[in-house]
Amino acid sequence: MATGATIHTFEVHLADVDRGVYEELALRLARHPSETDAYMITRLLAYCLEYEEGIAFSEGISATDEPAVLVRDLTGRVTAWIEVGAPDAARLHFGSKLADRTTVYTHRDPAKVIAQWAGKTIHDADAITVHSFDPGFVDAAAALVERRNEMTLSVTERQVYLELNGTHLSSPIHDHPIR
């Protein structure tokens, strides 16, 4: 019998000073057995750092035609395509054509992630940015994850201050253009 997804709950206190977003979020994330804790934390960070009206997690790895996080307007049209990890060029191309804005958050080496897209067709590639964090930041946060989590995330001048279950971590958000 296959193992099902593990549900993690996060009570998030979000204060994104850079964008003027202040929210209290109660989030439930399903972590598929093939999904790493680092990927799940990066998905959570992407959701919080991109938080706006209409944002949602996709169905996860079973949703092959959707990114990890997406934003829809009131008509249901996708306005932001937010990938996590190291998506292939075809997914970025599709997302960039579909949405007004496409971005990637990665917990991997951003230079290696971007290198895999070299020479491949990606619609509006100049407008896509890969966001990463200091080495070890995501792994340190992933090591703190429990089934029920209390999290405070503050962003000031592209610096992330994360308190997860009583432990404080911080990292700048690094932006990498793909072309």
Side-chain angles (χ1 to χ4, degrees), residues 139-146 148-149 162-169:
D139 289 333
L144 301 170
V145 171
E146 299 172 3
R148 288 180 174 74
N149 301 276
L162 173 68
E163 179 187 350
L164 182 57
N165 299 324
T167 300
H168 298 271
L169 303 167

Side-chain angles (χ1 to χ4, degrees), residues 77-141:
R77 186 176 67 82
V78 176
T79 59
W81 184 277
I82 305 159
E83 289 283 359
V84 172
D88 64 22
R91 283 182 64 87
L92 284 181
H93 179 72
F94 177 79
S96 184
K97 288 180 81 172
L98 182 67
D100 299 338
R101 180 172 64 81
T102 303
T103 192
V104 177
Y105 285 83
T106 191
H107 55 289
R108 300 179 179 189
D109 180 346
K112 290 180 182 176
V113 171
I114 293 167
Q116 75 177 351
W117 303 325
K120 306 229 171 101
T121 301
I122 299 174
H123 177 76
D124 206 11
D126 293 339
I128 300 172
T129 301
V130 175
H131 306 285
S132 67
F133 307 94
D134 281 348
F137 173 76
V138 171
D139 289 333

